[in-house]
């Protein structure tokens, strides 16, 4: 269960939505390989996980 997604704040959820919208816009432009989008979302989730664990 170490990989469980932490509970996100409203701000973190809004950031993820904004990142995903940016990725969708780029996908419409024909850019299909977007590892940076996944990295940015993972960074937000990791930060939330660290805060939940008190680190």
């Amino acid at each position: 269960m170490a990989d469980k997604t932490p509970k996100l704040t409203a701000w973190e959820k809004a950031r993820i939505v904004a990142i995903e919208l940016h990725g969708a816009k780029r996908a419409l432009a024909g850019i299909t390989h977007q590892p940076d989008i996944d990295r940015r979302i993972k960074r937000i989730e990791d930060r939330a996980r660290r805060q939940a664990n008190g680190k």
Side-chain angles (χ1 to χ4, degrees):
M1 282 222 186
D3 197 31
K4 184 179 176 188
T5 304
K7 185 166 178 84
L8 301 173
T9 64
W11 174 254
E12 292 163 337
K13 289 177 186 178
R15 289 302 309 145
I16 289 174
V17 168
I19 292 167
E20 289 178 344
L21 286 174
H22 181 69
K25 180 179 172 184
R26 287 171 44 183
L28 287 173
I31 302 170
T32 56
H33 184 65
Q34 302 181 34
D36 60 313
I37 300 295
D38 296 332
R39 266 194 314 269
R40 289 171 65 189
I41 292 172
K42 185 173 181 337
R43 189 179 316 136
I44 290 171
E45 291 173 346
D46 288 344
R47 186 179 311 136
R49 189 174 295 113
R50 283 193 310 268
Q51 288 176 349
N53 290 333
K55 294 182 181 176

